[in-house]
Amino acid sequence: MKISRFVKMAGLAGSILFSSLSFASAVNIAENDVAIHGYDPVAYFTQHKAVEGAAKYTATYEGAIYRFSSAKNRDMFKANAAKYAPQFGGYCAMGVALNKKLDVDPDAFYIEDDKLYLNLNKAVQKKWLEDVPANLKTAYRVWDGIETLSVADANAEE
């Protein structure tokens, strides 16, 4: 009897842990765990624009599926994913500076010191660009506190 109860309790604890992890994502993913709305992260660096990726060219990194416009871009990503993956898990960089986890518009991007930053939209990006060094400093400090929070928890009003 005691073993049966222990197994049930362990199963319950495991399911609670699993469910909490599934909702707390350090990477901004959409349906089917696709990052950046399916846009090619390497293209931001090589073509200097947002380019949609294709489902036939994919790679995974930190629990997210990234799509690429070519096999060459996919292979470049696989060789150095940390270089090409967006900062702050692909959440809006300005949002992170404001202690929030916000979605992004793949066309609202900025590369600074060979790192990719995305923003909610062009209007938010304009605000971000007003003082990139200060916004970066704040965002990196804040990210340590919200990285593992769920979107709901990170965006909850205090």
Side-chain angles (χ1 to χ4, degrees):
M1 229 22 168
K2 289 183 180 180
I3 292 175
S4 175
R5 185 169 185 233
F6 175 77
V7 170
K8 287 179 184 176
M9 292 302 286
L12 178 62
S15 65
I16 290 170
L17 176 64
F18 178 76
S19 68
S20 68
L21 290 175
S22 66
F23 293 107
S25 177
V27 181
N28 183 9
I29 53 177
E31 289 182 35
N32 301 321
D33 298 335
V34 174
I36 320 176
H37 299 277
Y39 279 71
D40 181 341
V42 175
Y44 290 106
F45 294 89
T46 60
Q47 298 178 40
H48 310 290
K49 64 181 182 177
V51 177
E52 284 191 70
K56 67 180 180 177
Y57 304 118
T58 63
T60 58
Y61 179 66
E62 294 186 345
I65 299 168
Y66 290 87
R67 291 184 178 171
F68 304 90
S69 56
S70 68
K72 179 182 177 184
N73 282 11
R74 179 202 55 215
D75 295 345
M76 288 173 66
F77 183 86
K78 283 182 172 182
N80 193 357
K83 172 184 173 154
Y84 297 108
Q87 300 302 293
F88 311 119
Y91 288 101
C92 172
M94 190 70 210
V96 171
L98 298 171
N99 208 32
K100 303 286 184 196
K101 281 184 164 180
L102 304 175
D103 199 12
V104 296
D105 173 352
D107 287 312
F109 74 95
Y110 179 73
I111 295 175
E112 173 81 16
D113 292 330
D114 220 21
K115 293 182 181 182
L116 173 62
Y117 301 93
L118 300 167
N119 285 115
L120 177 68
N121 55 41
K122 294 282 189 172
V124 170
Q125 182 182 37
K126 186 176 179 182
K127 183 72 177 163
W128 169 261
L129 293 173
E130 287 177 7
D131 193 352
V132 173
N135 290 328
L136 280 173
K137 184 177 179 180
T138 301
Y140 277 108
R141 180 180 46 81
V142 169
W143 183 241
D144 287 338
I146 68 170
E147 179 178 7
T148 59
L149 294 179
S150 68
V151 172
D153 288 341
N155 296 342
E157 296 296 324
E158 293 181 19

